[in-house]
Amino acid sequence: MIGINPQLSTHLVSKTTILPWLLKRIEAKNHDGNRGYAAEIIPILVDNRENKLALGKADGIETILKVLSVSDTQLLLGEFGNLGNSELDWLTAIPT
C-alpha cells in the first residue's frame, strides 16, 4: 500500500503511534515472527525525510543500535555455543 501511495507512510507515522510501537516491538526479549516483521516495516516507513526525523525524535536510532548489538551478541553466543569441538576445528587451522 505504501509502495502505491508513499504519502501514506508520512500520514501513518505522524498521525498514529505506529513508530514507537514498532520500536518497542523490536526491543522485545522473545524472538518471534512479529519482531522480525516489525524490523522489516521500520525501514519502509522511514523512507522519507519527515519519517527519518520522527525516528530520530523517538530515539529510534539508539533503539535500533541497541537491538543490533544485543542481537549480534546473542547470535554469536547461540551459534558458537551450540557447536561441538569438531565444528570449531577450523579456528585452530587458521595461521596466526
Side-chain angles (χ1 to χ4, degrees):
M1 193 72 160
I2 291 174
I4 297 170
N5 185 359
Q7 296 301 326
L8 180 61
S9 69
T10 305
H11 182 73
L12 193 60
V13 169
S14 66
K15 302 294 183 191
T16 69
T17 59
I18 192 165
L19 191 57
W21 184 86
L22 289 169
L23 291 169
K24 188 181 293 186
R25 187 70 198 109
I26 65 170
E27 285 185 297
K29 299 293 182 202
N30 59 336
H31 296 277
D32 60 2
N34 290 330
R35 184 178 183 197
Y37 292 134
E40 290 179 18
I41 292 170
I42 291 171
I44 295 169
L45 287 178
V46 297
D47 197 31
N48 62 46
R49 187 180 193 310
E50 293 86 11
N51 291 353
K52 286 177 185 169
L53 292 173
L55 179 70
K57 288 178 184 176
D59 289 330
I61 304 300
E62 181 178 341
T63 300
I64 291 169
L65 290 173
K66 186 175 16 172
V67 168
L68 286 173
S69 70
V70 170
S71 295
D72 287 346
T73 303
Q74 288 174 344
L75 176 68
L76 286 174
L77 290 176
E79 291 299 318
F80 290 123
N82 292 331
L83 296 177
N85 287 337
S86 61
E87 288 92 351
L88 293 176
D89 286 343
W90 65 271
L91 287 174
T92 58
I94 298 173
T96 56

